[in-house]
Amino acid sequence: METVATVGLTNKAELSLAYTPGVAEVCEAIAADPSLTRHYTWVPNTVAIVSDGTAVLGLGDIGPAAAMPVMEGKAVLFKQFGGVDGVPICLATTDVDEIIETVVRLAPSFGGINLEDISAPRCFEIEDRLKERLDIPVFHDDQHGTAVVTLAALVNALKLTGRNAESTRVVISGAGAAGVAIAKILLEAGIKDLVVTDRKGVVSSERHDLTPSKKALAEMTADLTGRSGTLADAFVGADVYVGVSGGTIPEEVVATMADDAIIFAMANPNPEVHPDVAHRHARVVATGRSDFPNQINNVLAFPGIFRGAFDVHASAITEGMKVAAAQALADLVGDDLSEEMVIPSPFDPRVGPAVAAAVSAAARRDGVARI
C-alpha cells in the first residue's frame, strides 16, 4: 500500500495551490460550511477499517499488530474493486467504550467506518452505538458482508431448485456475528422457517443460558416456529444449511435433509460439510474457499456497498441497501445459473458497479441519500 497524490506537484505554482497559501481558501470555506468537506477533501471517498484484533480470520484473538496485514489487505480490496480509499486502523484496546469513543473522535476524517474482526457479542453493541452517534455509514463486514453474499447465492439456489422463500426451511449453525446477520437478512428477504444453532443446540427461548443477543435471535427465529432441540434435530427435513461455525457435521446428519438440499458450508479452511460429502446429499453446494465452485466471498459485497453509499453521500447503510446489493449480485449470474454457479466471480468487472448502483438507488428509496 502507498498514498499517491491525484494532482501534480512539480513547480512553485502547483505547490502554492496544493499547500500554502492556496489551501487556506479551502479551509476557510469548510469552516464556514462544513458540508463542503464532501466536495473538496478525500473524506467522502475514504473508509476507516477498524479492528481490535480479537477475531482475526480463523486465528482468533491475535491482537492489533497481527491484525494489520488483514486490514491492509482489506484496504487493497476496497481500492481494487470499489475505487474506495481505505485506511487500516488497529486499536490497542478491547474495551467497548474506548473503541466507540476512539472511532467517534476519528470520524471527521472519514466518509464511512468498516468494522472488522471484532469478536461477538461485543461487535453488536459497538456497531449499534456507533450508528446512533455518527451520520456516516457504519458497517461490520464480518456480519453484513457475509450476509449479503449468502443471500445472493441463496436467491439463485432457491430459483435453481424451484423453491420460494416463504416455504423454505433454513438451518444456520453459528450464532456469532455472521450467523446473526445472515439470520436477519434472510428474514428480511422473506424466509419464514429459520433456526440458528450454537454448540448447545437450537437457539430457543426454552433455554436459560442465552446472552441478550441470542435471546433476541431466538425471538426472531425458533420461537416463531416452536423448534428446539439439537443441531441434528434441526437438520431433519431442512431445505437449506448455512454453516458459519466451524466443526464437522456428521454425514448421517446431512443425509436427513430434504431432497435437492442446499448446503453453504462456509468455515475456513475446513468447511463444516466437505464438498465431497455435501454433493452426495445436496444439489447446490457453496463454501468460503476459492478452490471450490460457488465461493461465498465478502469481496463481492463491501467495495460496491461503500461505493454506492459514498456516491450519494449516504448517512447510513440500511437493510434495504443490503438486500438490494444481494439482489444485484444474484441478477448478475443470469443465464449462467447452474449448480456450479449461483454467485458471480469477484473478478467479474460488472460486480462493483452493479452493487454500487443498486445500493445508491436503495439509499434514495430509504431516505438516507444526501445528493
Side-chain angles (χ1 to χ4, degrees):
M1 289 178 58
E2 62 180 352
T3 303
V4 179
T6 60
V7 297
L9 202 63
T10 59
N11 56 52
K12 185 176 181 180
E14 290 175 344
L15 179 60
S16 297
L17 183 63
Y19 200 50
T20 185
V23 72
E25 296 285 337
V26 186
C27 293
E28 289 178 338
I30 292 173
D33 180 2
S35 71
L36 293 180
T37 302
R38 303 191 193 112
H39 302 285
Y40 295 113
T41 75
W42 84 328
V43 166
N45 195 59
T46 307
V47 60
I49 306 167
V50 180
S51 180
D52 64 357
T54 55
V56 180
L57 302 176
L59 304 174
D61 186 355
I62 59 175
M68 180 56 79
V70 179
M71 304 312 116
E72 289 179 328
K74 202 83 172 188
V76 172
L77 297 176
F78 264 116
K79 190 68 172 179
Q80 180 70 28
F81 296 110
V84 171
D85 296 305
V87 178
I89 298 174
C90 295
L91 301 178
T93 179
T94 60
D95 181 84
V96 167
D97 291 330
E98 289 183 357
I99 291 171
I100 291 166
E101 291 303 322
T102 301
V103 173
V104 168
R105 283 163 173 72
L106 289 169
S109 297
F110 299 98
I113 308 295
N114 185 93
L115 301 173
E116 190 74 22
D117 293 352
I118 298 173
S119 62
R122 299 157 54 255
C123 60
F124 305 125
E125 181 181 357
I126 290 169
E127 184 185 39
D128 288 344
R129 289 172 59 186
L130 285 174
K131 284 180 176 179
E132 291 173 0
R133 295 184 61 178
L134 299 178
D135 65 347
I136 57 176
V138 177
F139 185 84
H140 184 204
D141 186 52
D142 300 318
Q143 291 185 62
H144 310 300
T146 305
V148 165
V149 183
T150 300
L151 174 58
L154 185 58
V155 165
N156 280 333
L158 294 179
K159 184 186 300 182
L160 196 63
T161 58
R163 291 182 167 95
N164 62 69
E166 292 77 10
S167 61
T168 295
R169 189 152 80 79
V170 179
V171 176
I172 299 172
S173 69
V180 170
I182 291 169
K184 288 180 178 178
I185 202 170
L186 295 188
L187 293 170
E188 183 77 15
I191 295 292
K192 304 294 186 187
D193 192 342
L194 171 64
V195 298
V196 181
T197 67
D198 61 11
R199 291 182 180 87
K200 297 182 179 179
V202 172
V203 176
S204 159
S205 294
E206 291 185 7
R207 289 169 45 182
H208 302 291
D209 60 346
L210 300 182
T211 63
S213 64
K214 288 184 180 180
K215 175 67 173 172
L217 187 61
E219 291 170 354
M220 293 186 293
T221 58
D223 289 3
L224 299 178
T225 55
R227 298 192 186 278
S228 60
T230 66
L231 174 64
D233 294 331
F235 255 79
V236 178
D239 300 295
V240 179
Y241 166 66
V242 177
V244 282
S245 59
T248 300
I249 309 296
E251 183 168 1
E252 59 269 25
V253 173
V254 178
T256 66
M257 294 183 71
D259 294 339
D260 280 348
I262 298 164
I263 293 177
F264 294 173
M266 297 188 289
N268 264 322
N270 300 310
E272 294 90 346
V273 183
H274 191 278
D276 291 344
V277 174
H279 279 297
R280 290 199 284 268
H281 305 284
R283 183 171 172 189
V284 180
V285 177
T287 71
R289 288 174 44 158
S290 59
D291 52 345
F292 293 109
N294 297 326
Q295 184 188 19
I296 307 293
N297 190 332
N298 288 16
V299 75
L300 288 163
F302 67 81
I305 288 174
F306 271 93
R307 175 76 277 145
F310 284 173
D311 285 347
V312 296
H313 294 175
S315 59
I317 294 173
T318 65
E319 287 301 313
M321 292 160 74
K322 290 177 239 177
V323 172
Q327 189 62 58
L329 283 172
D331 290 344
L332 285 177
V333 174
D335 293 339
D336 293 326
L337 179 61
S338 70
E339 286 82 355
E340 300 292 295
M341 181 176 281
V342 295
I343 197 75
S345 164
F347 296 104
D348 184 332
R350 302 173 299 163
V351 166
V355 171
V359 167
S360 292
R364 291 190 175 98
R365 289 194 301 272
D366 290 349
V368 295
R370 289 183 279 209
I371 61 171

